[in-house]
């Protein structure tokens, strides 16, 4: 759908930035790029229940957050899972539109 181009090139629309803790995700989102990031901390981190990387990814504003542990497939050893706080949808925490309201999103997400 999109080329994985370099920022600033005419065909650049999508960026895969797998380090949600670097600040590069938020920077790209603010510039208007569609961003995918990875939130899982690796097998050892999942087993230990480490959530820093997951929380950074969810706060980063990335439009796509990849995980091997969605809310309904928790890690058996630690209960680690990835989900938004209150719903399956949310307003973007970095570039939130002033009119974005969770109750309106929930009505249209079914």
């Amino acid at each position: 759908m999109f080329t994985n181009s370099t920022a600033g090139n005419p065909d650049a629309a999508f960026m895969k930035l797998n380090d949600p803790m670097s600040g590069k995700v938020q920077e790209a989102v603010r510039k208007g790029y569609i961003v995918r990031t990875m939130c899982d901390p690796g097998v050892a981190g999942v087993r230990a229940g480490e959530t820093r990387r997951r929380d950074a990814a969810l706060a980063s504003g990335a439009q796509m957050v990849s995980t091997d542990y969605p809310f309904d497939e928790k890690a058996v050893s630690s209960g680690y899972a990835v989900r938004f706080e209150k719903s399956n949808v949310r307003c973007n925490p970095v570039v939130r539109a002033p009119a974005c309201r969770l109750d309106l999103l929930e009505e249209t997400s079914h």
Side-chain angles (χ1 to χ4, degrees), residues 87 89-91 96 99-110:
S87 181
V89 296
R90 69 174 184 169
C91 299
R96 180 181 180 155
C100 187
R101 292 187 2 225
L102 185 57
D103 62 318
L104 295 176
L105 292 175
E106 288 176 333
E107 289 174 13
T108 61
S109 68
H110 299 289

Side-chain angles (χ1 to χ4, degrees), residues 27-72:
E27 180 182 335
V29 168
R30 284 188 187 103
K31 289 181 178 178
Y33 291 102
I34 298 169
V35 179
R36 177 260 191 205
T37 195
M38 183 65 176
C39 68
D40 299 337
V43 175
V46 167
R47 286 183 181 153
E50 169 58 48
T51 60
R52 271 183 329 139
R53 184 182 174 99
R54 176 198 69 192
D55 296 345
L58 293 174
S60 73
Q63 293 88 350
M64 294 172 267
V65 177
S66 294
T67 182
D68 292 329
Y69 305 92
F71 70 95
D72 58 347

